[in-house]
Amino acid sequence: MPDRINNEVMSRIVRPTTYGTPEVLALTEAPVPSAAADGVVVEVRAAGVNPIDWKLYSGAFHAVDEDHKDAAGIAASMPSLGLECAGVVTEIGADVTSVQVGDEVIVYPVTAAYADYVTAPATAVLAKPATLGWAEAGSLMLCGTTAAHALHATGAGAGDTVLIHGGSGGVGLMAIQLATAAGATVIATAAERNHALLRELGAIPVAYGPGLADRVRTAAPQGVTAAIDCAGTGEALDVSLELAADRTRIASITGSPRRAEAGIKLLGYGPGQDAGTDIRNAARPTLVEHAAAKTLRVVIAKSFPLAEAAAAHTFGQASHTPGKLVLIP
Ligand SMILES: NC(=O)c1ccc[n+]([C@@H]2O[C@H](COP(=O)([O-])OP(=O)(O)OC[C@H]3O[C@@H](n4cnc5c(N)ncnc54)[C@H](OP(=O)(O)O)[C@@H]3O)[C@@H](O)[C@H]2O)c1
């Protein structure tokens, strides 16, 4: 629970102290910031964990600037962690009329949600339906909006047979459900142990690995019309190119030079990728509505206390347990 120092409410924040593996994560403290005029402060009840969180401090993206350190002694260039959460509004800015103090909300997009409190623009906040648990609410959005973008980019819908690579991942589980709800037949790849779950969600599961193209042909003799790559492997790219004739109906949410050269759609925030900001924003209320109505399931793999974020990241990198990891302050 949050501390008080000199009567100031303090927020615990998990931050990487330098680039590296999950051991570099530390629990630091800072005063809870005030809300901007158009913003809110939210007491976090659940923060979704995503692979981007550990990639951000892995050293893959940026070099550390050791010369500029903040009050916690951490290089100011180190990334904040936590891109989605759910919680209770504790303060609103002077210009905010869309939410009230005490409202239960979902916050996305946001930064630094691995914390007791987070600030966000009011536009990032949607009401949390009472039927949706905190863990589900805190981990619905990043994967849900990405999956919605992938469906939009590939035009996947009724009459299509869609191949989804990484169907048992956070994004894949959402993409399966959105595609089947749109009337598509879905073939999804996953480790064998996750096939029962994929079947429950309406997909025809196939194992990835050598022989994948033939297994997909057997599962879908009618042919594949669109493909969504959430796995990022060479195999996922090769099999998509082999089976889906129209490259404009193949989308990948993972980047690679080969993907960039292949003429497929690259979705995300890297160079040459389409961030799909408007599409993703527009998808948020519909995702909440479907999750509230239980027509969209947010599969939770495991929850960890906020202070155990490093363990959550170690688990996430090693595990093939399907579903989301969540941090609970
Ligand atoms: N571009 C964007 O906007 C965006 C947004 C969200 C995520 N991403 C990226 O997309 C990727 C997936 O994200 P996520 O949250 O779904 O990750 P995740 O929950 O960790 O899921 C990873 C998936 O990869 C599968 N997988 C593991 N090894 C594989 C292999 N050798 N061949 C084929 N599939 C394999 C896993 O299947 P099993 O567990 O069944 O083995 C699982 O379905 C990550 O790289 C993430 O950073 C991008």
Side-chain angles (χ1 to χ4, degrees):
M1 286 303 291
D3 262 353
R4 266 175 190 276
I5 294 180
N6 296 333
N7 221 18
E8 201 166 27
V9 182
M10 302 297 284
S11 176
R12 297 171 306 154
I13 308 169
V14 173
R15 302 179 59 199
T17 50
T18 184
Y19 288 93
T21 49
E23 298 76 52
V24 304
L25 296 182
L27 196 62
T28 63
E29 278 203 342
V32 176
S34 300
D38 63 349
V40 298
V41 177
V42 171
E43 185 175 3
V44 178
R45 295 294 169 84
V49 172
N50 290 283
I52 184 68
D53 299 344
W54 53 78
K55 288 181 189 175
L56 278 172
Y57 65 88
S58 68
F61 297 150
H62 304 287
V64 64
D65 169 10
E66 288 289 357
D67 292 340
H68 300 90
K69 299 205 167 171
D70 63 17
I74 297 172
S77 59
M78 292 310 297
S80 307
L81 301 182
L83 298 175
E84 61 179 333
C85 68
V88 179
V89 176
T90 57
E91 189 190 333
I92 60 170
D95 300 341
V96 175
T97 54
S98 52
V99 286
Q100 310 274 329
V101 168
D103 283 359
E104 298 189 347
V105 294
I106 294 173
V107 195
Y108 182 78
V110 68
T111 54
Y114 281 20
D116 290 315
Y117 292 89
V118 74
T119 56
T123 51
V125 167
L126 291 174
K128 180 187 90 65
T131 53
L132 200 56
W134 286 115
E136 287 80 5
S139 49
L140 163 68
M141 282 297 180
L142 193 145
C143 289
T145 55
T146 305
H149 186 196
L151 253 74
H152 186 275
T154 54
D160 278 315
T161 299
V162 186
L163 172 60
I164 298 177
H165 300 276
S168 52
V171 180
L173 291 169
M174 286 284 157
I176 287 172
Q177 296 180 79
L178 297 182
T180 53
T185 299
V186 175
I187 316 295
T189 73
E192 294 270 0
R193 70 173 81 81
N194 297 329
H195 284 194
L197 173 63
L198 268 53
R199 252 183 232 111
E200 255 177 60
L201 297 178
I204 302 166
V206 291
Y208 51 74
L212 174 60
D214 286 339
R215 285 191 292 284
V216 175
R217 281 193 191 93
T218 304
Q222 72 277 22
V224 165
T225 51
I228 296 172
D229 163 31
C230 307
T233 58
E235 174 187 73
L237 176 62
D238 292 339
V239 171
S240 298
L241 294 173
E242 187 179 334
L243 299 183
D246 180 354
R247 290 188 178 201
T248 68
R249 299 200 69 196
I250 303 174
S252 178
I253 63 164
T254 71
S256 73
R258 277 193 62 220
R259 282 168 172 75
E261 286 158 14
I264 64 169
K265 294 197 169 155
L266 303 177
L267 313 182
Y269 304 93
Q273 294 183 331
D274 169 18
T277 308
D278 291 344
I279 296 158
R280 292 185 190 214
N281 274 340
R284 294 179 308 149
T286 315
L287 291 166
V288 174
E289 208 176 286
H290 286 297
K294 308 292 178 199
T295 47
L296 180 66
R297 193 166 140 200
V298 186
V299 179
I300 302 297
K302 195 167 158 64
S303 295
F304 292 79
L306 177 65
E308 292 175 23
H313 283 197
T314 302
F315 184 91
Q317 290 175 61
S319 157
H320 286 252
T321 307
K324 300 295 301 172
L325 301 178
V326 188
L327 296 179
I328 308 292

